Amino acid sequence: MGEAQLSSLDALDTALPRAQQIELRNLKSGALNGQWAMETVRDEGLWKLMAALWQPTETVDPTRSGFHALVALRRAYDLTRSGELDAADNQVDAFLRSRAVTSLPAEMMSEAYTVAAYVAVATAVGAGGSEKLALAEEHARKATEVGGAVAERNLALVRTWRETPRNQREPMTNPFLELGLDHGAEGWDRHCRDLFRQYAQAGDQTSQSRVNRAQGRIEEALRHDSGLDVFFRLPLAEARYELPDAVPRQLVPPLEPLARRTTFTSGAELEIMRARAAVELLDDFRSTAPHLDRHGHSR
């Protein structure tokens, strides 16, 4: 998921014409609370920059705009991956309200239901575990409407867990997410070693054990034919989380034609040049010995 480069904003501000400078400064000030003019929000070319500038700490309402919906979905996933499950639950709950369900794209809702299902699975412990798994199955089923094969596998996993006695269930969380990684991320083993050393230096044996368990689960899965499909997976499709890669209309100065740098050539002058070129070509043909075509047919 690409992000905007904020280090060049000052240089950009200096280079832009006055009208675009004002637009950029309004965009930066709007990032303080996630409030922009609707014309700005509609410009998808600005979304990467807006998302990089705005770091919401409260639940984002996904029904405010397409931009806010995408930020809300990405925030729910990021909170899940960082282990902040209560905050992730609050954020994804904003997608499950009737207004959001009926107004947001089906693909986005499928991702939101998947996050909601995973959060329910990850918190299905203790006395309320059975109710959480029932809720997870409901969300996972809704995700299958446009979720494809990954959503179907997720639903099958949840149903298997529900049918398995509590003391016989394998761990239901995704070990990649527990490690703060995307599912199937390359370099996960190196990341595990780095985390383990970090916790060792801090004397945090509980976190060391958590890393070891997650690493062991990944290694065990890779030894079998089913591979990483044994883990509940999110996102269903990473492309649904990506910010648009478009040219920002509001920050691009009006195009102006370049001044002509060559002298105007009349038709008569072109005729003179063509006649001279013809003479030179004819002279070249007369003075150049003929070459046999080695690729031609032999006679």
Side-chain angles (χ1 to χ4, degrees):
M1 301 178 186
E3 305 295 342
Q5 297 297 321
L6 301 182
S7 58
S8 302
L9 281 187
D10 290 340
L12 177 62
D13 186 285
T14 302
L16 287 173
R18 181 60 180 167
Q20 281 69 44
Q21 277 185 342
I22 294 174
E23 293 286 354
L24 178 60
R25 293 171 188 179
N26 288 341
L27 189 145
K28 290 164 69 175
S29 62
L32 295 175
N33 54 13
Q35 299 278 358
W36 293 275
M38 189 52 63
E39 183 181 1
T40 299
V41 174
R42 291 195 188 103
D43 188 348
E44 294 188 359
L46 295 173
W47 286 11
K48 281 188 177 181
L49 178 56
M50 292 160 63
L53 289 169
W54 184 34
Q55 302 297 324
T57 57
E58 302 293 335
T59 299
V60 177
D61 181 1
T63 63
R64 287 176 60 187
S65 71
F67 168 73
H68 289 86
L70 190 51
V71 168
L73 182 63
R74 289 162 62 94
R75 182 172 184 267
Y77 172 69
D78 288 341
L79 289 168
T80 302
R81 188 176 52 181
S82 65
E84 301 173 72
L85 297 180
D86 288 340
D89 190 32
N90 290 334
Q91 178 59 78
V92 79
D93 185 60
F95 283 89
L96 308 185
R97 299 165 190 162
S98 58
R99 183 183 173 195
V101 170
T102 57
S103 63
L104 295 175
E107 292 80 4
M108 179 170 285
M109 285 306 306
S110 182
E111 296 293 343
Y113 280 125
T114 300
V115 176
Y118 180 79
V119 171
V121 163
T123 55
V125 295
S130 297
E131 290 75 12
K132 284 290 185 72
L133 279 180
L135 184 62
E137 181 177 348
E138 179 184 349
H139 292 328
R141 180 183 56 78
K142 291 179 179 178
T144 62
E145 294 179 5
V146 291
V150 176
E152 294 286 353
R153 286 197 297 271
N154 285 345
L155 177 58
L157 284 173
V158 176
R159 285 174 172 168
T160 298
W161 291 328
R162 287 197 69 192
E163 295 167 359
T164 304
R166 183 188 307 175
N167 59 355
Q168 296 179 21
R169 291 175 193 150
E170 297 291 333
M172 297 181 292
T173 53
N174 184 310
F176 288 99
L177 299 181
E178 287 186 304
L179 293 167
L181 298 172
D182 295 325
H183 177 82
E186 295 183 3
W188 61 268
D189 48 349
R190 182 176 63 254
H191 180 74
C192 285
R193 291 193 295 271
D194 292 342
L195 275 181
F196 190 88
R197 283 195 295 267
Q198 174 185 327
Y199 292 136
Q201 292 174 357
D204 188 346
Q205 295 182 349
T206 300
S207 295
Q208 284 179 278
S209 298
R210 178 174 57 83
V211 171
N212 279 337
R213 285 194 300 271
Q215 182 176 357
R217 292 178 62 200
I218 296 173
E219 292 172 343
E220 177 67 20
L222 292 174
R223 283 193 286 266
H224 296 83
D225 292 339
S226 55
L228 301 182
D229 287 344
V230 298
F231 303 133
F232 190 106
R233 177 175 168 178
L234 65 152
L236 300 176
E238 292 182 6
R240 296 174 182 172
Y241 283 73
E242 292 177 357
L243 294 158
D245 190 11
V247 176
R249 299 186 304 274
Q250 291 184 258
L251 292 185
V252 176
L255 297 178
E256 298 180 358
L258 293 174
R260 187 183 181 93
R261 297 182 180 181
T262 58
T263 58
F264 179 76
T265 303
S266 66
E269 290 173 317
L270 288 174
E271 285 297 327
I272 293 172
M273 286 189 288
R274 184 161 54 183
R276 289 174 179 172
V279 171
E280 292 180 3
L281 285 172
L282 288 172
D283 287 342
D284 185 63
F285 279 122
R286 293 190 188 103
S287 60
T288 303
H291 296 280
L292 294 176
D293 184 0
R294 64 187 180 89
H295 298 292
H297 297 292
S298 58
R299 297 182 180 178

